[in-house]
Every structure is written in C-alpha cells, then in structure tokens.
Amino acid sequence: MWSVLWAAVRSKAPYVTFPVAFVVGLVGSQLEWFLRGDPPPTAQEEKSISEQREDRRLQEIVGEDLTKVVSLKDKLEFAPRAVLNRNRPEKS
C-alpha cells in the first residue's frame, strides 16, 4: 500500500509543487515590497554606466577639431613598441 501511495505522490509532485512554490514566491514578494516600501525616485532616474561613459566622452570631444588626424603615412608603426620596435631605429 505504501509503495502505491509513494508512486502516486511522485507522479503528481509537479502538480502540487508548482502552485505551492508560486504562492510562496508571491507572498515573499509582497512581504518584501511591504517591508522596503516604495523605491526612491532617484533610482529610476539614474543613468546607466554606459550612458555616463557616453556623456563623458561627448564632453571631452566638444572643443576638439575632429577633422585633424595624424596621417597613416606619418605613423611609423601599427604595433606596440614593446613587440615589434626593438630593432628599428627611432624616427627623427
């Protein structure tokens, strides 16, 4: 008799476990909201890190002339000095 009962419990476990877990999660969520209260209004208005980084970069390039760049012909190397420039003479 016990084996039949345990087999029935095993087969019906998802149908019992999901509603119980849903109710526990819902009660926990409501309890957490009640204890913490409303979030501060500044939390929703804060900018993300990527937005702050973009704003800072825009502020840095405001006064610069972006059309003046170094020509590729004037550049001596395209790789870091520590790797490929050991035996090259310095450009004068």
Side-chain angles (χ1 to χ4, degrees), residues 12-31:
K12 304 297 183 196
Y15 302 111
V16 175
T17 306
F18 178 70
V20 171
F22 184 77
V23 169
V24 168
L26 187 65
V27 169
S29 172
Q30 295 298 320
L31 182 64

Side-chain angles (χ1 to χ4, degrees), residues 35-91:
L35 292 176
R36 287 190 178 189
D38 292 332
T42 58
Q44 296 173 351
E45 297 172 3
E46 285 184 15
K47 293 183 178 180
S48 67
I49 299 296
S50 61
E51 289 174 343
Q52 291 175 0
R53 184 180 301 129
E54 288 174 2
D55 290 343
R56 180 177 43 82
R57 286 182 180 169
L58 286 174
Q59 291 298 324
E60 288 175 358
I61 64 172
V62 165
E64 295 179 13
D65 185 14
L66 300 178
T67 60
K68 295 183 180 180
V69 294
V70 178
S71 172
L72 291 177
K73 292 179 183 177
D74 294 338
K75 288 187 177 181
L76 177 63
E77 61 189 50
F78 295 104
R81 290 186 58 157
V83 177
L84 297 176
N85 200 20
R86 294 184 184 195
N87 297 326
R88 284 190 192 165
E90 291 295 321
K91 184 178 180 182

